[in-house]
Amino acid sequence: MRGKYFIGIIILGLSIFLHSTEAHLQLGFYSKSCPKAEKIVNDYVKEHIPNAPSLAATLIRMHFHDCFVRGCDASVLLNSTSNNTAEKEAPPNQTLRGFDFIDRIKSLLEAECPGIVSCADIITLASRDAIVTTGGPFWKVPTGRRDGTVSIRQEATNNIPAPTSNFSTLQTLFANQGLDLKELVLLSGAHTIGISHCSSFSNRLYNFTGVGDQDPALDKKYAANLKANKCKTPTDNTTKVEMDPGSRKTFDLSYYTLLLKRRGLFQSDAALTTNSVTKSYVQQLLQGPVSNFFAEFATAMEKMGRINVKTGSDGEIRKQCAVVNS
Ligand code: HEM
Ligand SMILES: *[C@@H]1O[C@H](CO)[C@@H](O)[C@H](O)[C@H]1NC(C)=O
Ligand SMILES: *[C@@H]1O[C@H](CO)[C@@H](O)[C@H](O)[C@H]1NC(C)=O
Ligand SMILES: *[C@@H]1O[C@H](CO)[C@@H](O)[C@H](O)[C@H]1NC(C)=O
Ligand SMILES: *[C@@H]1O[C@H](CO)[C@@H](O)[C@H](O)[C@H]1NC(C)=O
Ligand SMILES: *[C@@H]1O[C@H](CO)[C@@H](O)[C@H](O)[C@H]1NC(C)=O
Ligand SMILES: CC(=O)N[C@H]1CO[C@H](CO)[C@@H](O)[C@@H]1O
């Protein structure tokens, strides 16, 4: 009895010791080193997103794509070099935008306090602030992320789910990041805002199994409408379609309503209704007030923002977000 107690104390002491020597994200990490940092990001987003609401969606998506490859370390922002092809070049990133938006915030921060605020924290803060501008939830973003120095195209291709992903692929790719099925459903809820190019889902309209057929899981009326008015040819890769028609600028529950009407745009959206656990979670979200969704979405985003972060003396604080420091 005494022995067990003693060992317990030792383990407790050891874990407190390890805990205190390991660097962590914290709220207000820049409160002393760059007190205006969070305000500068927030002011910039608040000033510019209303003129370009589609940027809000792309920033949130950028944060997701960053965190799913080597953790939230701004590896998604690095340019390719003569001997390396970066994440940016991977198919899922072809439709990412907003790199210059992050660069402009970075310039303001470098002018205020050079070499202090990471590009990884800028993406995280800007995407939270962007969600708020679309009417979504606010949450406190712990900061102190540092920037990575490696960005490899193949890693983005391997880790970021494709719109054609089925349920088991989604489950695996999210589990690889420590995210569960509930978080898969919640984070997919970001598709309540933004657009998709026809090319991300036209296989469902024109050639689902290679015999010129349509995805039977997609509502027939909706498919006919998309073919008649939006994605008029199987190879259209420029037309943009609202993912949550009529409400693409507003952060709300309507994405989940559409899923149950078989109007989710991607196979990966539709896949959430093919599993009983995720389907019942969708139904549960729709029953609750939107404030439940907001609270849970915020918690899931905060967790996504912690994936494999570099802190302390890991990584670096990039001077320019597109290139590693020389
Ligand atoms: C579950 C797996 C997911 C898949 C397969 C997926 C796939 C896609 C695809 C293919 C697009 C359209 C790109 C285009 O054609 O322009 C898109 C857009 C978007 N995704 Fe996802 N996504 C997933 C999860 C997420 C998550 C977790 C978030 C954020 C938390 C997110 C946020 C967004 C946003 C905001 C847009 C709109 C972008 C814009 O308007 O430019 N997605 N997604
Ligand atoms: C790529 O080239 C840079 C110099 O341009 C060099 O520092 C780096 O080590 C090279 N990386 C690889 C993987 O060869
Ligand atoms: C899901 O997709 C993966 C990758 O394309 C495939 O290997 C797997 O067999 C599919 N699973 C189901 C249940 O269809
Ligand atoms: C459908 O896909 C198959 C196999 O990839 C291809 O041979 C065929 O030409 C496509 N049909 C259409 C109408 O695009
Ligand atoms: C879009 O389609 C056009 C014509 O089919 C093609 O030349 C172009 O490379 C495509 N763009 C992308 C980004 O796939
Ligand atoms: C990164 O690449 C983009 C697009 O090619 C280019 O406009 C930008 O100037 C590059 N940034 C740096 C710092 O080299
Ligand atoms: C922003 C960016 O770098 N997009 C690239 C994504 O990848 C494709 C190729 O797969 C490039 O053509 C894009 O320039």
Side-chain angles (χ1 to χ4, degrees), residues 42 52 68-69 71 77 105 164 174 244 247-248 271 275 283:
N42 186 243
F68 266 53
V69 189
L77 300 180
I105 298 177
T164 51
F174 273 66
D244 182 0
S247 158
R248 76 173 162 92
N275 170 273
Q283 290 163 332

Side-chain angles (χ1 to χ4, degrees), residues 79 320 322-323:
N79 278 359
Q320 292 183 75
V323 288

Side-chain angles (χ1 to χ4, degrees), residues 4-313:
K4 266 191 195 158
Y5 183 70
F6 187 65
I7 288 171
I9 293 282
I10 295 209
I11 290 175
L12 184 72
L14 200 66
S15 66
I16 288 172
F17 173 75
L18 288 174
H19 201 72
S20 62
T21 55
E22 195 186 312
H24 284 282
L25 295 182
Q26 60 189 74
L27 291 177
F29 179 82
Y30 299 111
S31 61
K32 293 216 170 66
S33 57
C34 190
K36 288 192 192 148
E38 295 198 20
K39 185 172 183 325
I40 288 172
V41 177
N42 186 243
D43 285 351
Y44 195 83
V45 170
K46 276 205 294 216
E47 188 183 340
H48 292 94
I49 295 279
N51 306 327
S54 71
L55 267 176
T58 200
L59 292 175
I60 297 157
R61 186 165 180 241
M62 181 190 284
H63 183 40
F64 161 52
H65 286 203
D66 183 31
C67 295
F68 266 53
V69 189
R70 289 186 175 263
C72 315
D73 69 345
S75 54
V76 70
L77 300 180
L78 287 173
N79 278 359
S80 294
T81 58
S82 56
N83 57 9
N84 179 59
T85 310
E87 288 171 30
K88 271 185 186 177
E89 315 276 349
N93 287 345
Q94 285 174 23
T95 46
L96 274 187
R97 296 167 297 123
F99 296 105
D100 51 335
F101 190 86
I102 298 292
D103 286 343
R104 286 197 292 273
I105 298 177
K106 176 66 170 173
S107 306
L108 296 175
L109 289 167
E110 285 299 298
E112 174 76 14
C113 25
I116 300 291
V117 184
S118 68
C119 300
D121 276 339
I122 297 174
I123 301 178
T124 315
L125 288 164
S127 60
R128 187 273 315 272
D129 293 341
I131 288 173
V132 173
T133 66
T134 63
F138 171 89
W139 67 95
K140 290 180 181 156
V141 169
T143 44
R145 291 169 191 76
R146 290 170 63 88
D147 299 324
T149 55
V150 177
S151 177
I152 300 169
R153 171 171 60 183
Q154 193 59 40
E155 292 182 348
T157 309
N158 294 348
N159 290 293
I160 297 170
T164 51
S165 295
N166 59 27
F167 178 81
S168 54
T169 301
L170 293 173
Q171 181 173 29
T172 304
L173 292 177
F174 273 66
N176 288 347
Q177 309 293 341
L179 298 171
D180 63 18
L181 291 179
K182 189 172 165 179
E183 287 150 347
L184 167 63
V185 171
L186 287 164
L187 293 169
S188 296
H191 288 173
T192 177
I193 56 170
I195 56 91
S196 167
H197 292 78
C198 291
S199 40
S200 296
F201 59 88
S202 55
N203 67 318
R204 302 186 78 194
L205 303 177
Y206 290 103
N207 208 355
F208 190 59
T209 64
V211 294
D213 53 339
Q214 205 164 292
D215 182 352
L218 183 63
D219 175 64
K220 282 199 174 57
K221 267 193 198 152
Y222 186 43
N225 188 302
L226 286 168
K227 285 163 85 166
N229 302 308
K230 298 280 183 183
C231 311
K232 295 179 186 169
T233 68
T235 52
D236 180 340
N237 60 12
T238 53
T239 306
K240 295 169 190 164
V241 176
E242 301 170 76
M243 293 197 288
D244 182 0
S247 158
R248 76 173 162 92
K249 292 180 189 169
T250 325
F251 206 90
D252 56 21
L253 281 167
S254 51
Y255 165 77
Y256 297 110
T257 308
L258 291 175
L259 287 188
L260 296 184
K261 290 183 176 166
R262 300 153 60 87
R263 290 181 171 214
L265 203 49
F266 307 138
Q267 282 154 266
S268 62
D269 297 319
L272 302 178
T273 63
T274 63
N275 170 273
S276 60
V277 174
T278 48
K279 186 173 183 181
S280 79
Y281 200 61
V282 168
Q283 290 163 332
Q284 205 179 309
L285 283 170
L286 284 169
Q287 274 156 22
V290 71
S291 57
N292 281 0
F293 166 50
F294 277 17
E296 298 198 55
F297 179 81
T299 305
M301 284 295 286
E302 208 245 34
K303 183 168 173 188
M304 187 176 87
R306 289 179 181 275
I307 295 172
N308 274 330
V309 289
K310 297 176 173 65
T311 55
S313 55

